Amino acid sequence: MPKPPRRPLTLRDVSEASGVSEMTVSRVLRNKGDVSEATRLRVQEAAKRLGYVPNKIAGALASSRVNLVAVVIPSLKNMVFPEVLSGISETLETTPLQPVVGVTDYRQDKEEKVLFEMLSWRPSGVIIAGVEHSDASKAMLARAGCPVVEIMDTDGEPVDCCVGISHRRAGRQMAEAILQAGYRRIGFVGTKMPLDHRARKRFEGFTRQLGKAGLEIADQEFYSGGSALAKGRELTHQMLSRTPDLDFIYYSNDMIGAGGLLYLLDRGIDVPGQIGLAGFNGVELLDGLPRQLATMDACRRTIGERAAQMILDRQEGDLEPELVELEPTVTLGDTLTRS
Amino acid sequence: MPKPPRRPLTLRDVSEASGVSEMTVSRVLRNKGDVSEATRLRVQEAAKRLGYVPNKIAGALASSRVNLVAVVIPSLKNMVFPEVLSGISETLETTPLQPVVGVTDYRQDKEEKVLFEMLSWRPSGVIIAGVEHSDASKAMLARAGCPVVEIMDTDGEPVDCCVGISHRRAGRQMAEAILQAGYRRIGFVGTKMPLDHRARKRFEGFTRQLGKAGLEIADQEFYSGGSALAKGRELTHQMLSRTPDLDFIYYSNDMIGAGGLLYLLDRGIDVPGQIGLAGFNGVELLDGLPRQLATMDACRRTIGERAAQMILDRQEGDLEPELVELEPTVTLGDTLTRS
DNA sequence: ATGAAAGCGCTAACAT
DNA sequence: ATGTTAGCGCTTTCAT
């Protein structure tokens, strides 16, 4: 076995090894332009034998085409985002485009940094979670020179394209469903607001809708950090100790909702008879709980797919900005029906 | 507001706007070399005003330095990998290096493609899950021309560096703990093998250790796809219908284990008195279940941190390959003690 | 402290 | 069908 050279191989090496000009080698390796079957084979053989890996840096610079799509999301630990990512990856799978992920930890300063970093690779498109960004970020997006799709949330003013759901409306809808089922003493358990605009909007929509029915949130509690399941237990316990006559708790996500559910069942409390519950997200992960938690699907997969498609559609022509508001489906499950 | 030009800005634009040579502008923007305070300010002002974003493609080509670390993992949906990623990101946070993630879906053909794709960006390092790879992938890794760290698993022959745990030993250890607690009729519920080498190795270590005690797996079941929680319920039900005298079930991960636990509790079965349970991974997510599931921490975060550090250490000198086997900690929890 | 020239490895555009 | 030439936007190196 020949000792591999320390220097990475270049087109030139393949060219010399195959006795074919660099240009033709390049054509073969990209399946571009007419190349005779004979030379094609010789080149492919040489490239394979040497273990040549093309240098995309050089290719991208020369062609000013970078087949990367920057995907900027707040977190990977949240379940929600990996699912969006799946939708994106799958849609891009059969295309030359490739997603590259950057994580912001729900922090605008980090979003700025990540965005700057990614834009400096001159991607073919940007998919970014949320419609709230710092002025600097908005300016960068506006000048990105490539299609931009803001995802997850439609309550705001996108720079270019947008696909998501209205979280305000989602909050309202859930409030309606709860009221219609006859619950009246309603508590809310959520994540600390400043971090998560979408959770905040759901809360706002929720309280506003209750307000229209002349009701107020009977109790509320906000958490941050820790295992969501454990937090759900803990906060549910706290809330019921403080406000024992609650007949419903709305959680800002399914995981804490599940924690609450497990707590109530442990205590032998009748769900949904004595207390009803609902979460948000419709995470498949939780199928298999003792009761199916009422929730609302955030259309994560679809959002990913649509966003990727918007980027693809805009690779050639200069299409108009596209704004898509998806319809989240409500699942009443076993925790929001007093039948 | 001036209409932004379609063409992305170049150093030259900043140079002209500031009346400073391209070279000096470059120096300012990279904090490299001596520049007088006066020019530095003028340049920074101009760059900011224009909204200049440097072109890393060109920079990387010119300097043949690409500050990317390729991270190749099987999946993002598995919890486990996002945690490894956190460890990596955090360690690289304060350095010029940046992780870029590629996902293989546990498929070797896809791993090859992803690896080729990533290597064609000439990254400063590669972190890749597992030690089992196709010959082609191994060849690519060997010739990558940058440090390579194989992670998660130490049972095999790494190309360069390696940090992880021995899943065979993990399986053995869990078997020992179970035997020591006095369980004898032991069932196994796992993921379908060919996909996941680490799960397979745990299973092998587990059965081998039982064998040493003269025992065989009393029943076993493998699943693929679907909600792990629901599968855990379902398979536990099936297994106990078929083999009612089981006194222990070992699950290949915590999520199906949790499903099993919820099922048994629903049925009013005494855990761990009548049946003991254990999973694998030590996912924090599950703190808050009615019982704490016995499990083993796979050191995910540490693995990420160490791997990133190995890459960092190898940026300058040519260090020796480093092989690190971590010690997973066993948590007996509430489901593996017949006190 | 600043500038000028050369070239990173590839591809677009034009020969032939 | 194949080869030649001139850059892509930056950094390296060497001058000044």
Side-chain angles (χ1 to χ4, degrees):
Chain A
M1 193 141 149
K3 171 127 203 246
R6 214 63 218 136
R7 168 183 66 77
L9 298 170
T10 67
L11 261 190
R12 165 166 231 126
D13 296 306
V14 182
S15 165
E16 282 168 4
S18 64
V20 174
S21 79
E22 280 189 48
M23 197 52 235
T24 303
V25 171
S26 166
R27 281 197 265 257
V28 171
L29 267 25
R30 286 179 298 144
N31 292 317
K32 201 123 192 218
D34 292 326
V35 181
S36 75
E37 199 52 25
T39 35
R40 151 164 278 109
L41 288 174
R42 278 174 59 200
V43 169
Q44 283 172 334
E45 184 278 327
K48 181 148 209 174
R49 178 165 48 80
L50 298 177
Y52 172 69
V53 178
N55 186 331
K56 286 216 179 187
I57 306 271
L61 183 60
S63 64
S64 44
R65 245 190 297 283
V66 181
N67 291 326
L68 298 177
V69 176
V71 181
V72 180
I73 54 178
S75 158
L76 280 172
K77 297 181 193 158
N78 197 321
M79 311 282 145
V80 172
F81 299 105
E83 285 193 56
V84 175
L85 267 182
S86 303
I88 295 174
S89 311
E90 224 155 86
T91 304
L92 297 183
E93 189 108 333
T94 56
T95 77
L97 295 189
Q98 231 199 342
V100 180
V101 181
V103 171
T104 68
D105 287 327
Y106 291 96
R107 281 170 39 195
Q108 290 211 338
D109 58 329
K110 216 168 164 195
E111 181 177 273
E112 258 175 51
K113 275 181 58 181
V114 168
L115 200 53
F116 185 81
E117 206 69 22
M118 307 211 98
L119 288 181
S120 71
W121 289 101
R122 302 285 188 268
S124 296
V126 176
I127 297 176
I128 184 169
V131 286
E132 271 83 21
H133 314 287
S134 70
D135 287 343
S137 293
K138 275 190 204 147
M140 283 193 273
L141 289 173
R143 317 191 35 126
C146 65
V148 172
V149 185
E150 288 167 90
I151 57 169
M152 314 298 288
D153 186 3
T154 58
D155 295 327
E157 290 180 14
V159 171
D160 183 10
C161 300
C162 184
V163 50
I165 65 170
S166 163
H167 287 262
R168 287 227 175 74
R169 200 150 71 88
R172 285 205 302 274
Q173 271 179 261
M174 189 52 93
E176 251 172 74
I178 292 167
L179 291 172
Q180 192 157 354
Y183 297 101
R184 285 297 176 274
R185 292 284 295 164
I186 299 163
F188 180 85
V189 176
T191 42
K192 279 227 160 58
M193 300 285 101
L195 298 168
D196 186 342
H197 293 286
R198 291 174 286 286
R200 173 178 55 75
K201 289 173 185 173
R202 288 197 297 278
F203 180 60
E204 287 171 8
F206 188 74
T207 50
R208 205 151 304 171
Q209 190 67 22
L210 292 189
K212 281 190 193 157
L215 282 182
E216 286 202 350
I217 291 280
D219 196 355
Q220 60 193 61
E221 189 82 57
F222 300 95
Y223 80 104
S224 69
S227 155
L229 218 48
K231 281 286 173 189
R233 275 182 186 275
E234 189 185 318
L235 297 183
T236 303
H237 171 74
Q238 281 175 26
M239 187 169 281
L240 286 177
S241 313
R242 201 167 47 210
T243 319
D245 64 333
L246 286 184
D247 64 3
F248 200 95
I249 305 181
Y250 179 39
Y251 296 88
S252 78
N253 70 60
D254 287 344
M255 281 308 284
I256 38 171
L261 173 61
L262 290 175
Y263 170 80
L264 294 174
L265 295 179
D266 271 7
R267 287 295 179 105
I269 293 172
D270 172 23
V271 177
Q274 190 175 343
I275 299 190
L277 302 176
F280 182 82
N281 268 338
V283 292
E284 195 205 26
L285 191 86
L286 290 174
D287 293 353
L289 285 176
R291 303 260 195 300
Q292 197 191 356
L293 188 67
T295 189
M296 239 168 128
D297 175 32
C299 311
R300 302 173 300 278
R301 221 197 152 64
T302 314
I303 287 175
E305 290 164 359
R306 297 289 299 258
Q309 193 57 53
M310 287 179 186
I311 300 287
L312 284 171
D313 294 343
R314 279 161 185 72
Q315 288 310 100
E316 312 297 326
D318 263 306
L319 301 187
E320 287 299 295
E322 197 174 338
L323 304 175
V324 176
E325 182 179 327
L326 266 27
E327 279 287 341
T329 32
V330 181
T331 309
L332 295 184
D334 312 316
T335 65
L336 169 39
T337 29
R338 281 177 148 167
S339 64
Chain B
M1 193 139 152
K3 172 130 204 242
R6 212 66 219 134
R7 169 183 65 77
L9 297 170
T10 68
L11 263 189
R12 167 168 228 124
D13 296 308
V14 182
S15 165
E16 283 169 2
S18 63
V20 175
S21 79
E22 279 190 48
M23 197 52 239
T24 303
V25 172
S26 166
R27 281 197 266 258
V28 172
L29 266 25
R30 285 178 299 144
N31 292 318
K32 200 118 190 226
D34 292 326
V35 181
S36 74
E37 198 51 26
T39 37
R40 149 164 279 108
L41 288 174
R42 278 174 59 202
V43 169
Q44 284 172 334
E45 184 277 326
K48 179 147 208 174
R49 178 165 47 79
L50 298 178
Y52 171 69
V53 177
N55 186 331
K56 286 217 178 184
I57 306 270
L61 182 61
S63 65
S64 44
R65 246 191 296 283
V66 181
N67 291 327
L68 298 177
V69 176
V71 181
V72 180
I73 53 179
S75 158
L76 280 172
K77 297 180 194 157
N78 197 320
M79 307 285 143
V80 172
F81 300 106
E83 285 194 56
V84 176
L85 267 182
S86 303
I88 296 174
S89 312
E90 223 155 88
T91 304
L92 297 183
E93 190 108 333
T94 56
T95 78
L97 295 189
Q98 232 200 342
V100 181
V101 181
V103 172
T104 69
D105 288 327
Y106 291 98
R107 283 169 37 193
Q108 290 211 338
D109 58 328
K110 215 168 164 195
E111 181 178 274
E112 257 174 50
K113 275 180 57 181
V114 168
L115 200 53
F116 185 83
E117 206 68 21
M118 307 211 96
L119 288 180
S120 71
W121 289 100
R122 302 284 188 269
S124 295
V126 176
I127 297 176
I128 184 169
V131 285
E132 272 84 21
H133 313 287
S134 71
D135 288 343
S137 293
K138 276 189 203 146
M140 282 193 274
L141 289 172
R143 316 190 36 129
C146 66
V148 173
V149 185
E150 287 168 270
I151 58 169
M152 314 297 288
D153 186 4
T154 58
D155 296 326
E157 290 178 12
V159 170
D160 182 10
C161 299
C162 185
V163 50
I165 65 170
S166 163
H167 286 262
R168 287 225 174 75
R169 199 148 75 85
R172 285 205 301 274
Q173 271 179 261
M174 191 50 93
E176 251 172 75
I178 292 167
L179 291 173
Q180 193 157 355
Y183 297 102
R184 286 297 176 272
R185 293 283 296 162
I186 299 163
F188 180 84
V189 177
T191 41
K192 279 228 161 57
M193 301 285 102
L195 297 169
D196 185 342
H197 293 286
R198 291 175 287 287
R200 172 177 58 73
K201 289 173 184 173
R202 289 198 296 278
F203 180 59
E204 286 171 8
F206 189 74
T207 50
R208 206 153 303 174
Q209 190 67 22
L210 292 190
K212 281 189 193 158
L215 282 182
E216 285 200 349
I217 290 280
D219 196 355
Q220 60 193 61
E221 188 82 59
F222 301 95
Y223 81 102
S224 69
S227 156
L229 219 49
K231 281 285 173 189
R233 275 182 186 276
E234 189 185 319
L235 296 183
T236 303
H237 172 73
Q238 281 175 26
M239 187 170 279
L240 286 176
S241 313
R242 199 166 48 208
T243 318
D245 64 334
L246 286 183
D247 63 3
F248 201 94
I249 305 181
Y250 180 38
Y251 296 87
S252 78
N253 71 60
D254 287 344
M255 281 308 283
I256 38 172
L261 172 62
L262 291 175
Y263 170 79
L264 293 174
L265 295 179
D266 272 8
R267 286 295 179 104
I269 293 173
D270 173 21
V271 177
Q274 189 175 344
I275 299 190
L277 301 177
F280 182 83
N281 268 340
V283 291
E284 196 205 27
L285 189 85
L286 290 174
D287 294 352
L289 284 176
R291 303 259 195 298
Q292 197 190 355
L293 188 67
T295 188
M296 239 166 126
D297 174 31
C299 310
R300 303 172 299 279
R301 225 201 148 63
T302 314
I303 288 175
E305 289 164 358
R306 297 290 297 262
Q309 194 56 55
M310 288 180 186
I311 299 287
L312 285 171
D313 294 342
R314 280 161 184 71
Q315 287 312 95
E316 312 296 328
D318 263 305
L319 301 186
E320 288 298 295
E322 197 173 337
L323 303 176
V324 176
E325 182 178 327
L326 265 26
E327 280 287 341
T329 32
V330 182
T331 309
L332 294 184
D334 312 316
T335 67
L336 169 40
T337 28
R338 282 176 147 168
S339 64

